[in-house]
């Protein structure tokens, strides 16, 4: 699944979401950036760098593991997913 961090305010819905939140959500897919990196603040750049490091650790599980939907946003006000690897255990 393609999942990218977009600019704020978002061009489709106009919502402004913190960089950390956008990165965390995008890590549930292929994780990329669809924005002008030159327009990011120093803090946002650091958050992006840390998120890239984290994703490199998580990528094998996200890409090749099993995904379970724990809470559906269509049935509750919340959403939760779990990614499970059959070969390793990781805490983040």
């Amino acid at each position: 699944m393609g999942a990218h961090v977009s600019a704020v305010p978002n061009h489709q819905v106009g919502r402004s979401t913190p960089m950390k939140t956008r990165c965390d959500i995008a890590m549930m897919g292929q994780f990329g950036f669809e924005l002008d990196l030159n327009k990011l603040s120093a803090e946002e750049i650091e958050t992006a760098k840390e998120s890239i490091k984290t994703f490199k650790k998580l990528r094998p599980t996200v890409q090749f593991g099993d995904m379970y939907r724990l809470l559906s946003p269509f049935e509750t006000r919340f959403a939760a997913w779990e990614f499970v690897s059959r070969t390793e255990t990781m805490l983040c």
Side-chain angles (χ1 to χ4, degrees):
M1 171 180 73
H4 296 131
V5 177
S6 65
V8 292
N10 180 272
H11 66 284
Q12 291 180 324
V13 296
R15 185 173 39 221
S16 289
T17 307
M19 175 62 84
K20 173 91 169 77
T21 301
R22 290 180 281 149
C23 288
D24 288 348
I25 298 298
M27 280 191 236
M28 292 189 291
Q30 84 186 53
F31 189 58
F33 290 88
E34 247 180 87
L35 48 79
D36 184 349
L37 296 172
N38 294 312
K39 293 183 179 179
L40 297 180
S41 69
E43 182 180 333
E44 289 173 321
I45 290 171
E46 284 306 310
T47 300
K49 286 179 181 181
E50 288 302 312
S51 295
I52 290 167
K53 287 180 194 174
T54 299
F55 184 70
K56 286 182 178 182
K57 294 180 206 169
L58 298 175
R59 181 174 32 208
T61 302
V62 172
Q63 186 174 1
F64 300 111
D66 296 322
M67 177 185 155
Y68 297 94
R69 181 184 286 175
L70 305 177
L71 291 173
S72 170
F74 303 107
E75 297 169 6
T76 68
R77 291 183 35 217
F78 305 99
W81 296 270
E82 176 180 40
F83 294 86
V84 178
S85 169
R86 294 181 187 192
T87 59
E88 71 178 288
T89 301
M90 178 186 320
L91 296 174
C92 294

